[in-house]
Structure formats: structure tokens, C-alpha cells
Amino acid sequence: MTGPLRERDDARALLATETERARAGTGGFVLVRGATGTGRTAVLESAVRYAADRGMRVLRARCSPEDTAVPFGTVLQLLASVPDFTDLSPDGDDRGSAARLWRLLRSYAAEGPLLVAADDVHLADEPSRRWLSEAARRLDRLPVLLVATERSQYDIDPRPAGLSQALSPSLVRTHTLAPLGDAAAAAVVREAFPAAGPDWTAQCVRAGAGSPLLLHALLDDLGGAPRPDGAAPGGVPALPDTSAELYPGSYPAAVSWWLNSAGAATADVARCLAALEQAWPPGGDDDPAGPPAGADAGEPVDLLAEAAGADPARVAGWLAASTRLGLLRRDGAGRPRYAHPLLRDAVLTGWPRPRREAAHRAAAEVLLRRGGRVEAIARHLLRAPAVGLPWALRVLRDAVTVAVHDARPGDAVGYLRRALDEPLDDGRRQRLLTELGSLEYASADGPAAIARLAEAQHLPADPRNRVRTAVALGTALAGRGEIRTAMEVLRRTAGRLSGHPGLTHTVQAAGALLSDEDLATRQEVYRWLCETGQDSPELVGTAGQALLVRYAATAGLISAGEAMTRVRGLLAQPTDPLAEPFLLGTAAAVAQWADELDEAERLVERGLAGQHPALLHPMHQALLNTRADISAARGDHAGLLAGEPRAGTAGSRTGPTNRDAHALLALVHTGRVDEAGRLAAAFDLSRAPESWELNRFLYARGVQRAAAGDTAGALHDFLECGRRQTARDVVSPVVTPWRTAVAQCRLALGGGQEALALAAEELRLARVWNTPRTVGRALRVLGTATGGRRGARLAEEAVGVLRDAPDGAAAELVEALLAQGRQLLAAGERGRARDRLREAADLAERTGAARLLAVAGQALRDSGARGPANARTGSGALTDSERRIAELAAAGRTNTEIAELLHLARRTVETHLTSTYRKLRIRRRTELPAALDRDRPLAPRP
């Protein structure tokens, strides 16, 4: 594919001017210089056509390496048709031959103007080069224009002096061809492919690298490529990733020609750079393991020089020249890269694999000596065969640590796989395989992970490493739904731990935790734990005892206070380091249920910090789940919705996770109804495997359906959740309060008696656990189900209980205030009802509970209130009575003392304080002094 010369107007203008001068009788010498592929020959052909069109005689020669051994070979090409000079070469008289050739040229010139065109004179034989230089000194007296082209490109091996270097500048007009600019190159692409889009065009321009030769060759190949299915006639083919996909292969052939013309040393350096670039991360400025911009800008020079055995100064010059030509471009870290991956691939085509590997090993050794970053060294080792020296394994292990720390398990997997190629004893190989399987699981490659861990399990190892492998393999198997196989792996491991009770307890704890994924297995495990823990607690260890506390909490057998006392006692006991994560994770879950959120968070962070980052462990995901539970308890909807909603363990089975359940609830609470519906519909729960996470998602979907008005669908989800939880002995409302949810659905559908029974049972269980959040919620629903004066008392009690709950129970308090407001409306107490509803609206607004804010607003409108639900807030909204009572309360007076001082009923004082709290956006008496000071006007300065 050829086209018009672009960005060569200045060269053609120079040649046209000199041609006209020669026609007028004044000869000259024009030397057109340029790098390979810049179009020297095309410019020369243009000059030949121009001269021929104007009646000039043209003598032409094209030099080649084969002619260098023949004296005057180039000049003989010019005069090959002259019989008098057929015997020039053998006589060996260079001076005589040169004189005879000059006389012949003069005789031609006497017949008329003459153009002498010599292409690629850098390849000419030395006598011809001397003859052309000497002729250039005398051409001004003849109607002869001598035009020569010469390659001028920086090579690793210095080339002989150019033709013009022996001439005075006044005797030669030198023009150097610049690389093709991006705009001109894009015009060439659009001319060949009019339908090409800007991105595709830009990719072609970069692959052309400023060289008309490479660009036209690429377009030739793409012009012969099949169009995509269904593409219009003007459609464009896809730009391939490798030159092997190009047909008929003009582009890689052109790149090969460019390399060959540069010489063996330059080609070797060019290919070394292409190989080393493969070990660099994409881009450069976003390299997590590489240097900041410019930090290692000198690295390629040293690496290339050592790998290719070249002079570093020449390598630096070649890199600079190739960058100016457009073949290379600097990345964000200052490294020179090939302008396009396709160009890099073409440069590497045909280079033997052993040579590439040797280049990478040399690069790794250079970086090691110079103190390079471990991942920069390791990336070269990935492309080199086994080194067999200790430093290689050390570098790869350190690179794994860095990658894991930066949450790049895929990179860590690559380093570990390469580390296994080094010579290893069985113990070290066992440890590496365990880490590799763990990281492959984290990279969502479950089958590979299980195969690696199974291989590690069959290698000799000390007891602690055997336990680490068994726990990791059990976790991977359970995550793939193979819970029975996982438990068998753990049982076999425990059976080989005679004399290591601490390690046995660790394996038992792992089995108990993993059994949560299967109902029958869980029942079997906890039956053994309960029986053994009751008779011989030392046989289950501290982690096992903590799991029994968790079991008792969910079974409705103990209170939150007793549970926390027990886990705190267990935390104070010495524990095997391998069992400690199970103890910390279980204690964190219990603390979160007990609304000890700060303590739960500390335990989660401590547990995560103690995890080996490259080892698969079931408690890692459990700790992350507890962290999400803490965020939900605090009402941190934004945090739960940040990032991807799907946050399950990598490589786990398909199905909703705990994080999905929280995200669904957060979407409902923040009023994002459509998004909540899409997330709920994203899972086919009929095909999801049995798990506690499925139960939690069922509850969350029930909440979503209820909010969307699908009461019957919500009732189905809540009942199914309850059935599944009860089968697991999870009867306490601390995890999923499904009874109150069912009761509310029954009330909406007219089933009051059943709702009353469910709400009463939940209150009984809630009082066993005895936290404000669980008790307040149960009181609220029971009050609604009961109705009448007793229902109103229960609603008021619910509000009072929830006022003392942690800040994260704001949503429950809003629900309780709404319930009490409705009860008061039913009793005809509109004033008090509106106060409760306004407080609910204000609290919902402050906590971002958009759905509850809308419900509160509707309730206020139903009560006859005017204005927006949250309009009357701030100290300016306080009445005189409210302000007087608030100031006395802030000063430390009790409600009874205030009532006596102001001659009011105690109930009136309480009502005024409740209204004050709402208007000042506070929840407790202790917040009154700061709130009043904040809103009090500043005193004027004296």
C-alpha cells in the first residue's frame, strides 16, 4: 500500500530548485539523509520523475551490501550500458578509473542536463564514495545534479563517516528527513480506512512509529485482514495483539528489515529492550512495585548494556535517538518503551527463547547488585529459567510479601509459581504450595487452589505447617460447597496430631466454623462441642469454648452480659497463636451482637492484623463479615454501599453473601428502591446453596419486598428465614429478628392473633439477650400488635429503652417513635403524636434513613400537621417553657425537681424535654449543655 509523500514538501522543493539550476548550467550535490523507513527512496524517486519530466537524462544506481567488494561498483551501475568501461574493475588503477569515469560523465553532461541519482550511498564501495565526493567538488561547472540518499541513524556500532563529512558545506545541500508526524500518519490511515475511528487510527499511528515504511506495511496487512462479522463494507479489522496474526506479514518483515539495516549490535540491543519491556508493568507511573517517575530512568541503559554486551554510552545514545524518531516513547516512570506493543512483538519475532531468558537473568542480576526493588527483579525472574542460587528464591518470596501487602494476589501467585521452579526441599515446597493455593483461591481460581493445597497436604511437614495446610484446604473445599470433604480433611489431620492438644483444638475450631455452611454437619459438630465442652472444656480449648458462647447466644440461652463476661475471660487466657484468630473472631461477633461495638471493632482489627496475609483462613472472611455487621449496627449505610456490593470470598460458590444482605438493607433504608430491587433480583435463591448467609439475605429481601409493598412476598421470605434459622438452633432475635418481621406482615394482612403470639415470643427471647436494641424492637412490634392502652404503654417503653441504646440503633428508635406516634393519634393525643412523629422525621433525616423520613412525613400529614416534617428544629424553635426546662435539666436538675420548681406535672416536663431533644437534634440529657451553648448567641464585645 503506497500513497502520496506527506510532510516532504521541503525536500521536494529543494530538489526542484536544484534541478532547475542544473538545467540552467550550474550543477550541485544534494544529500538526502534519514533513518531507515523515513522515505529516502521515495523522495529520490520523486526527484527522478521531476527531472525526467523536464527532459533531463537520468543516471541511476542503487547500492547494496553485495557491491562493496567491487571497486567503483556504484559508478558502474550508473554507466553499466557504456561498453568502454566494462573492464574497469580488474585493472586496479583507482585513480585512472576515476579519471576515465569523470571524463565520461562530462561527455554525458555535454549532451544535455543530467541527473545522477544514487540511493543508499552508505552501502557503496569506498572507491565509488570517493569518486562521488570528488565529483561534488566540480559539479558547479556542469549541468549535472547529483542526488544521493544516505542512512543516518544512531547505531550501537559506529558507522563510517557520511558522504558529506569530507566536503565543505558550501558544496553540498544536506536535507534530513524527519519522522512522520502523528497528524500526517493519521491522514494516511484514514485514506486507507475511511471508516476508522479515532482510537483505532491512533493505535495504527503508534504502531507505525513515525516510519512511513512501517505504517504502510501495517496497513497492507490490515487491508488483507477479514472484516468483523456483520461489519459494513467500510468497516475496519481489529488491530491484533501479535505480529503473528498479521497477514501476509508485511509489517514484521518491515521491522526485520529495519533491524537488519541497523546492524547486529543494534538489533541485539533493540531485541533486548523488547524482551526487558515485557517484564515492566503497563504504563509505568501506576507501577505498584516500580519506581516513581524518573527514579530508575537510567535502568534500561545499564540493563541493555549488560545484557547485550554493548557500550552503555552508545546504548544511551541509541535510546535517545530512537525516542526522537518515534520508535520509542517514555512512560510515566521515564522508561523508554516501544511506541506500540505490536511493534515490540515484531522486534522480538524470531529471537531465540534462550537469548530472551538470558537477557532477563542478566537484568535481574544487575538490579540485584544495584539494590533494585524486589518486584522489579522478580518480574525478570518470571521470564528466566531456574537460577539455582539462594538469592533468586529470596527475591521471589519478598516479592510475594509486597504483592500480598498491596492486595494483588494475582501478582503474588505468579511469583510463587516461579519460586517452585527453584530447587526446594520438601518442607519449603510444602509451605510454598500452601501459600500458592491460598492465593490462587483469593484470585478466584478455586480448582487450582484445591489441587495445590492437596499436593501440599501429601508432602512431609511439621505439625504446625500441616495444620495450616489442612485449615486452608478445608476452607477452600467448604467455599466450593464440598463441606463433607473439608470436614474429612480436618478429621484426618486432627487424628495425626497426637501430643499436640493446642493444634488439635485449632483444627476443631476450624471445623466448627466451616460447619456453618451445612446444616447437618453443623448439628453434628455442635452436638459434640456441647457435650464435650460441658464435661471436659479443656478438650475443646479456648476457641471452642468461645464458639459455645456464640452458640448459646444465638440459641437464646444466655444474656449479652453473661456472654461478654465469658468471652472476656477466655480472651484473658493463654491461647495457641494458630487458634487465636478463631477466639478473636468469635469474641468480635458476640461483642457486636451485645452492642459493644467499639470493643467488637478492636477485636476485628486485632484478628485481621494477626492473620497471615498469604494463608487461606476461614476466620478472615468471618472477621470481614463482623466488620460489615458493625457498620450496619452503626447505621453506616454509605460504608456498606461503597465499592462493589458483591463482597463475598473470592472463589466461593455462587450465592448471596453477608455483605450483599447488608447492601440490600442499606439501599432500602436510604430510599434507593429501584437499586434494591435489582440487587434482590440478581440472585436465584432457589439454586443458592444452604448457608447462614442465604438466611440473612432472605431476611434482607423480605425487608426490601415489604418496603416495595409486596407484603405477601415479604412474609414468605421472613417465614423461610425463620424456618432455616430455627433448624440451625438460631432462635434469638440478635441475628435476624424474623418473628417481629412476620408479625408486622401478619398485621398488614389482617392476622392479628398470630402477630401477637410471634411478637410476644420475640420479646421473651429479646429479654433473655437483654440489649436495648433487641428489647426495644420487640416492645415496639408487640405494642402495635396489642393496641389500646397496653399497646401505648409498650410503645412508650420501647422508645424509652431505645433512647439508651447505642447510636447505631437510630433506625430502631425512629421506628419506635413512629409506632408511638400512631398509637397516640389513635388515642386522640394529636399534640404528643406530632411531637413523636417530628422527632422521628428529624432523626431519620440526620441518619440518612430516607425511607423512614418519607414514612414519618406521611404520618405527620395524616395527623394534620402543616409544613415539612423536619422544619421545626434548632434552638430558635424552642418555646419559652421548653427553653426554661431545658436549661434546668442542663444544670443537673432531675425531672421531679424541675416539676416541683415550675409547679408542673412530671409528665409535662418529660413531654417538653422530648420535644426539646428533637429540636436540638440530640438524644440524651447529657447532650443538653453543649447543644444550648452551641445555639446561644455570642455576647457583644465591650
Side-chain angles (χ1 to χ4, degrees):
M1 183 181 293
T2 59
L5 288 174
R6 296 183 184 275
E7 296 188 334
R8 300 294 182 254
D9 291 344
D10 47 357
R12 288 188 294 182
L14 170 63
L15 289 167
T17 300
E18 293 301 315
T19 299
E20 296 303 328
R21 288 185 65 205
R23 292 179 64 208
T26 303
F29 177 26
V30 176
L31 181 63
V32 180
R33 307 173 76 239
T36 300
T38 50
R40 300 188 311 268
T41 300
V43 170
L44 184 62
E45 292 293 334
S46 175
V48 167
R49 288 194 299 271
Y50 183 86
D53 289 345
R54 280 151 183 77
M56 294 179 69
R57 184 176 181 180
V58 178
L59 301 178
R60 303 180 63 180
R62 177 165 296 165
C63 307
S64 69
E66 291 76 14
D67 297 334
T68 57
V70 181
F72 295 105
T74 298
V75 182
L76 287 174
Q77 281 194 57
L78 295 170
L79 307 172
S81 60
V82 182
D84 292 347
F85 290 89
T86 56
D87 60 345
L88 269 174
S89 56
D91 67 6
D93 182 10
D94 287 356
R95 293 181 62 83
S97 297
R100 293 168 65 191
L101 288 167
W102 173 249
R103 288 195 299 272
L104 180 61
L105 181 65
R106 289 187 62 179
S107 68
Y108 284 170
E111 297 174 4
L114 187 65
L115 175 69
V116 179
D119 198 12
D120 291 339
V121 294
H122 56 284
L123 299 176
D125 60 283
E126 190 57 33
S128 291
R129 288 167 59 82
R130 287 196 302 268
W131 186 90
L132 290 171
S133 296
E134 183 61 30
R137 294 186 176 95
R138 295 183 283 177
L139 286 178
D140 58 339
R141 298 187 294 272
L142 298 174
V144 177
L145 175 62
L146 173 58
V147 181
T149 68
E150 184 178 61
R151 181 181 180 275
S152 61
Q153 189 167 314
Y154 195 100
D155 294 320
I156 299 300
D157 286 340
R159 294 299 180 104
L163 190 62
S164 64
Q165 288 183 255
L167 296 173
S168 167
S170 63
L171 297 177
V172 59
R173 301 294 301 275
T174 301
H175 182 85
T176 301
L177 298 177
L180 199 61
D182 286 354
V188 173
V189 175
R190 287 193 294 270
E191 184 177 280
F193 294 95
D199 293 339
W200 190 87
T201 299
Q203 291 295 314
C204 288
V205 169
R206 289 181 73 100
S211 167
L213 170 71
L214 298 185
L215 182 59
H216 285 298
L218 175 63
L219 296 177
D220 276 335
D221 285 342
L222 295 175
R227 299 297 191 270
D229 292 340
V236 296
L239 199 62
D241 295 328
T242 65
S243 58
E245 300 176 60
L246 293 171
Y247 182 81
S250 301
Y251 181 76
V255 173
S256 179
W257 167 258
W258 163 63
L259 290 171
N260 291 336
S261 69
T266 302
D268 212 28
V269 170
R271 288 176 169 131
C272 280
L273 174 61
L276 299 184
E277 186 186 328
Q278 290 182 312
W280 298 339
D285 51 348
D286 58 348
D287 176 8
D296 281 352
E299 172 189 311
V301 174
D302 300 327
L303 300 189
L304 287 171
E306 186 136 350
D311 179 358
R314 299 295 300 180
V315 170
W318 179 81
L319 290 172
S322 298
T323 301
R324 287 195 297 271
L325 287 172
L327 295 165
L328 305 178
R329 300 194 181 199
R330 297 277 178 177
D331 66 13
R335 299 186 184 97
R337 294 177 182 265
Y338 281 95
H340 193 275
L342 193 60
L343 175 59
R344 181 189 67 208
D345 181 77
V347 169
L348 278 175
T349 298
W351 210 38
R353 178 177 176 179
R355 189 66 188 86
R356 301 187 195 190
E357 293 174 342
H360 285 292
R361 173 163 177 173
E365 291 173 344
V366 171
L367 288 173
L368 182 69
R369 289 198 303 271
R370 294 171 179 256
R373 298 176 183 238
V374 291
E375 280 205 84
I377 305 171
R379 283 196 296 266
H380 288 293
L381 289 177
L382 290 177
R383 298 177 178 274
V387 174
L389 296 174
W391 68 264
L393 185 61
R394 184 178 66 251
V395 164
L396 290 165
R397 296 290 289 112
D398 290 345
V400 170
T401 301
V402 173
V404 170
H405 180 269
D406 292 343
R408 290 180 286 113
D411 290 343
V413 164
Y415 300 137
L416 276 173
R417 287 175 178 169
R418 172 60 183 80
L420 289 171
D421 293 337
E422 296 293 325
L424 299 167
D425 57 50
D426 284 344
R428 183 169 289 181
R429 182 172 295 276
Q430 194 270 351
R431 292 193 295 274
L432 290 184
L433 282 169
T434 301
E435 288 189 38
L436 177 56
S438 298
L439 292 169
E440 283 175 330
Y441 188 81
S443 300
D445 192 354
I450 291 172
R452 300 281 190 185
L453 293 168
E455 182 183 354
Q457 191 187 29
H458 289 93
L459 288 174
D462 61 74
R464 300 188 74 81
N465 284 319
R466 196 181 309 140
V467 168
R468 289 189 179 99
T469 303
V471 170
L473 178 56
T475 304
L477 288 167
R480 300 281 297 177
E482 301 175 40
I483 185 64
R484 291 288 181 177
T485 307
M487 298 304 293
E488 182 58 31
V489 166
L490 295 173
R491 287 192 190 100
R492 285 201 310 265
T493 302
R496 296 198 295 266
L497 292 173
S498 177
H500 299 280
L503 297 178
T504 303
H505 297 157
T506 299
V507 175
Q508 291 169 351
L513 191 64
L514 293 175
S515 72
D516 282 342
E517 300 297 325
D518 181 78
L519 176 59
T521 304
R522 185 180 192 275
Q523 291 172 338
E524 177 185 338
V525 167
Y526 276 95
R527 186 182 305 114
W528 179 88
L529 265 180
C530 291
E531 293 172 357
T532 306
Q534 183 176 3
D535 299 332
S536 305
E538 71 280 358
L539 295 181
V540 299
T542 53
Q545 293 175 55
L547 287 166
L548 286 173
V549 173
R550 188 189 73 162
Y551 176 81
T554 58
L557 303 176
I558 58 175
S559 68
E562 183 181 352
M564 289 306 300
T565 299
R566 288 194 196 177
V567 296
R568 286 168 181 153
L570 293 171
L571 288 168
Q573 296 180 23
T575 305
D576 186 283
L578 286 184
E580 188 177 45
F582 296 101
L583 174 60
L584 292 173
T586 305
V590 172
Q592 182 269 314
W593 292 335
D595 279 336
E596 299 288 350
L597 301 184
D598 291 340
E599 184 172 354
E601 189 169 48
R602 287 192 297 270
L603 290 168
V604 166
E605 298 309 317
R606 182 179 159 193
L608 290 173
Q611 294 272 303
H612 191 301
L615 289 178
L616 184 59
H617 197 286
M619 190 49 76
H620 180 78
Q621 187 61 33
L623 287 164
L624 294 179
N625 280 329
T626 301
R627 178 188 276 174
D629 294 343
I630 293 169
S631 296
R634 286 176 168 157
D636 182 13
H637 306 313
L640 292 168
L641 294 173
E644 285 291 325
R646 294 302 313 273
T649 305
S652 64
R653 296 165 290 160
T654 57
T657 66
N658 180 55
R659 186 64 183 265
D660 293 320
H662 283 309
L664 182 55
L665 290 171
L667 289 171
V668 172
H669 290 319
T670 53
R672 294 155 67 173
V673 179
D674 293 340
E675 291 179 65
R678 286 193 294 271
L679 178 57
F683 302 97
D684 182 359
L685 300 191
S686 65
R687 304 177 66 178
E690 165 68 29
S691 72
W692 66 270
E693 290 181 295
L694 171 61
N695 300 348
R696 185 163 287 188
F697 192 83
L698 276 168
Y699 176 83
R701 193 177 71 172
V703 173
Q704 178 266 326
R705 285 178 164 178
D710 182 9
T711 306
L715 177 61
H716 173 272
D717 282 346
F718 291 139
L719 287 171
E720 182 63 14
C721 172
R723 183 188 68 79
R724 290 168 175 266
Q725 292 289 68
T726 302
R728 288 172 166 265
D729 294 332
V730 180
V731 298
S732 173
V734 67
V735 181
T736 46
W738 62 271
R739 292 178 185 82
T740 48
V742 170
Q744 288 177 289
C745 291
R746 291 295 189 197
L747 287 171
L749 296 172
Q753 196 59 39
E754 186 176 355
L756 189 62
L758 285 167
E761 175 62 9
E762 179 136 322
L763 179 58
R764 182 189 71 77
L765 292 168
R767 290 198 186 280
V768 172
W769 184 244
N770 201 31
T771 57
R773 192 193 303 264
T774 54
V775 173
R777 178 173 54 236
L779 283 169
R780 182 249 304 171
V781 177
L782 181 59
T784 301
T786 303
R789 296 178 63 182
R790 182 170 181 271
R793 287 196 300 272
L794 289 170
E796 185 171 5
E797 185 182 355
V799 169
V801 168
L802 288 167
R803 287 196 191 281
D804 295 328
D807 291 341
E812 290 295 345
L813 178 56
V814 172
E815 296 267 25
L817 289 167
L818 287 170
Q820 187 185 17
R822 294 189 185 100
Q823 295 265 21
L824 291 170
L825 276 177
E829 298 185 49
R830 288 185 173 272
R832 290 185 63 207
R834 289 170 184 167
D835 284 340
R836 291 294 184 269
L837 295 175
R838 287 191 184 280
E839 183 181 357
D842 182 60
L843 184 56
E845 182 189 35
R846 283 193 283 125
T847 57
R851 182 184 68 85
L852 292 176
L853 177 60
V855 172
Q858 184 59 51
L860 277 167
R861 287 189 290 275
D862 293 343
S863 72
R866 297 179 181 179
N870 55 342
R872 298 174 56 194
T873 59
S875 62
L878 296 178
T879 64
D880 291 341
S881 297
E882 288 171 342
R883 182 175 294 280
R884 189 181 309 113
I885 291 171
E887 289 174 346
L888 289 170
R893 302 279 189 173
T894 66
N895 289 357
T896 301
E897 290 173 340
I898 296 171
E900 292 174 353
L901 282 171
L902 300 180
H903 306 290
L904 297 172
R906 186 173 180 276
R907 182 65 175 272
T908 303
V909 172
E910 293 173 353
T911 301
H912 279 74
L913 281 175
T914 299
S915 177
T916 299
Y917 292 163
R918 176 185 58 78
K919 293 177 180 179
L920 295 180
R921 298 176 181 271
I922 62 175
R923 297 179 59 191
R924 295 181 178 85
R925 182 185 293 261
T926 55
E927 299 176 60
L928 272 171
L932 291 171
D933 288 342
R934 180 183 63 234
D935 287 331
R936 185 175 288 118
L938 294 174
R941 293 184 178 182

